[in-house]
Amino acid sequence: MTDTEQDSLVVGPEHENRFSSGPTANFAKGLLWLLVVVLAAVSLTFILSRVIPADPARLAAGLEAGPDQVAQVRQDLGLDKPVVVQYVNYLGGLISGDFGDSIRTRQPVINDLLEALPASLELIVVSFTMIAGLGILLGIIWAYWPRGLHSVLLRIIAVAGSAMPVFWVGLLLQVGLAANIDWLPIAGSFNHRKYGVDEITGSGLLDSLISMDTSAIVEAIRRLVLPITTIVFHNIALTMTLMRSSMSEQLQRPYVQAARARGVSESKVVTVDALRNALNPVVTMLGLQLGWSLGGVVIVEVIFSWPGIGLYAFSAFQAFDYNAIMAVTIIATASFVLINSLVNRIYRVLDPRIT
Amino acid sequence: MSLLKVDDLTVYYAGEQSPALKGASFELDHGRTLGVVGESGSGKTTVALALGGLLPSGAKMKASRIELGGHDLLDISKRKWLHLRRSEVAFVFQSPVDSWNPTRVLRVQVKDALQAAGRSDDYSRLVSVLQRVGIDDPDRALGSYPHQLSGGMLQRISIAVALVHEPALLIADEPTSALDSTVQAEILEILHELRTEANLSLVIISHDLSVVSRLADEVVVMYGGRVVERGETEDVLGLPVHPYTRGLLASVPKLEGETRTPLPAMAFGEIADQGCVFATRCDLREETCLRTDPLPIEHKSGFVACGPGMEKWSKERS
Ligand SMILES: Nc1ncnc2c1ncn2[C@@H]1O[C@H](COP(=O)(O)OP(=O)(O)OP(=O)(O)O)[C@@H](O)[C@H]1O
Ligand SMILES: [Mg+2]
């Protein structure tokens, strides 16, 4: 990745930093930026939800409802008011964390989301850790020993992983592995009640770890294997190949040779000197990946019936559950912007020349 | 006894058909300075890297003998190389800015190097060496990132770090080429003084003849990966024999207003597989030059790899 490309990838307030400085000013700017982006996302999804030729009142009232009932529902939901009023009301609700009610589950959307979030976070955290850790490690190995059997293998993984769509990988694993190996479940997530594990965090893995019940822990891991493999297989290619090219570029830099000439050991030259510089583009890329991950898990959650935000969003789309759709969109956007501004901070720690 | 002895050194870079260095031979006694001159691409850096075991991976190195301070460099483990670089042979490279990791404070990089050698009093000694090479405030300099210091400062730090373990040999590959002329002069002065102070043997690589003539006791002239002429500095640069050396000297701009004769430029891929590497550019070229490799002819303290040049030289002398 070239420097200019990196610059254009930078999302957030970093560009304004030349004009004023100070951590507080930066923080305030970051917050302001977050608000602007989220507001834009809210407005856009709001407009979209109102121009799409589907009638939420009609859907909410149900197929059997007559015109009077639909009109009643429309009034209850506030959909009979002018669009501008609806918009202002919606924004007003957002400030107090109220995303409206779901017409599908008939509960506040925020409750649905909080219920679904732990399952998604579990997938995201576990897969992202593996993508980052494994991808960086394999990339370093690949760059340092570019020839040999392992490099052929890594190349195949990289090409196959990035070329195959996620749903395809997921289905292949289900058909090829889960169907033949009894131990691997085809779909579904950890069932707290069945294993008598308290729902403390809502994440099967964490709760079973807290319960310290071995069979529950094994079950939680068993459930994770296929969805995680699917995500990691598809996403690790980018990290691995970027790490490799970035690392081999750094290894050819004169400062690496100079450090070797000063008698610094090979392991230190590679893992301290070169790695530090090679990580820059990888961190940026991983940040973007993490930012997208909330949207990225939708397909995986649907394939593996994983009850997270993605599956929730999918069901919401099918039912044209407009409040739920808007809520998911807003949260996905906000997390993207937030994660990116965090990454930019890490980036600056890695490279002191960026002020 | 000689400190460094190189016989018939040949280097191929990974995937290259023609050698970057072919059959180079030279030696260096304790406390003496060897200048290596030649135009860009003639293989000067390759010589330096080969002597430090620093050639990039995939490069192939052959020689009938390379000895440094009694160590046989042809048959040496990776650990031994590390040990040598920490105690026997040190380097200073062309670009001071590129010699340091841009994202780490100099102090930690310097400490990495000192720790590698694992001697306890090194840091305080480094501080005094730094002062010796003209860094007035070592603490502040080492507390900086490379981009915060000038090229001259960084090169001084490079020299200090190279010398802190009192190596027997310092290899300086174009140590002043990236610096402006006043700083160049200062750095050369430092090297000049340290040579005697530290009883240092020095290999100074440069395409700048004035640098070499200033510091070197002996000179090796390289062209197209071969050593074409070798000898005491005053012999080689004073009364050059090889047509390439002559051309090189004639092309140096002179202050007194003499016109300089430009050396005809070398076209890419012009170096022939067989025969004399310089033949295509040479005004003394004979039929045989294109077919057979010139044999080194002993001359004064060294040798010249050019028959016709030797003849012309003898004629001019008589
Ligand atoms: N890593 C490499 N891979 C392949 N070829 C190389 C490599 N490094 C140098 N060469 C080639 O080897 C030859 C000698 O290069 P070398 O760097 O030793 O020349 P030099 O005399 O130091 O030149 P300069 O004055 O430009 O530094 C050149 O033809 C160069 O293109
Ligand atoms: Mg060079």
Side-chain angles (χ1 to χ4, degrees), chain B residues 30-75:
Chain B
H30 275 286
R32 307 248 308 164
T33 296
L34 175 70
V36 179
V37 289
E39 62 193 30
S40 185
S42 56
K44 306 183 296 293
T45 298
T46 307
V47 169
L49 297 181
L51 293 179
L54 293 168
L55 288 168
S57 70
K60 280 199 285 289
M61 175 172 123
K62 279 192 315 215
S64 46
R65 167 162 64 174
I66 311 179
E67 277 172 21
L68 173 64
H71 303 277
D72 178 4
L73 299 192
L74 281 174
D75 181 26

Side-chain angles (χ1 to χ4, degrees), chain B residues 13-14 16 19-21 38-47 49 56 94 173-174 205 207 222 225:
Chain B
Y13 282 107
E16 299 288 322
L21 195 65
E39 62 193 30
S40 185
S42 56
K44 306 183 296 293
T45 298
T46 307
V47 169
L49 297 181
Q94 174 164 4
D173 185 1
E174 315 243 10
I205 294 173
H207 57 254
M222 300 201 52

Side-chain angles (χ1 to χ4, degrees), chain A residues 232-287:
Chain A
V232 171
F233 183 66
H234 181 70
N235 289 293
I236 203 168
L238 202 56
T239 311
M240 206 165 72
T241 44
L242 187 60
M243 189 66 217
R244 176 185 78 124
S245 62
S246 174
M247 189 71 184
S248 50
E249 189 200 317
Q250 291 298 327
L251 286 175
Q252 281 162 20
R253 290 282 174 91
Y255 75 81
V256 167
Q257 191 167 63
R260 283 182 181 139
R262 288 191 284 267
V264 180
S265 70
E266 197 63 16
S267 58
K268 203 159 199 174
V269 170
V270 174
T271 60
V272 179
D273 275 303
L275 182 61
R276 198 183 159 115
N277 297 324
L279 273 180
N280 277 352
V282 179
V283 166
T284 310
M285 195 273 303
L286 282 174

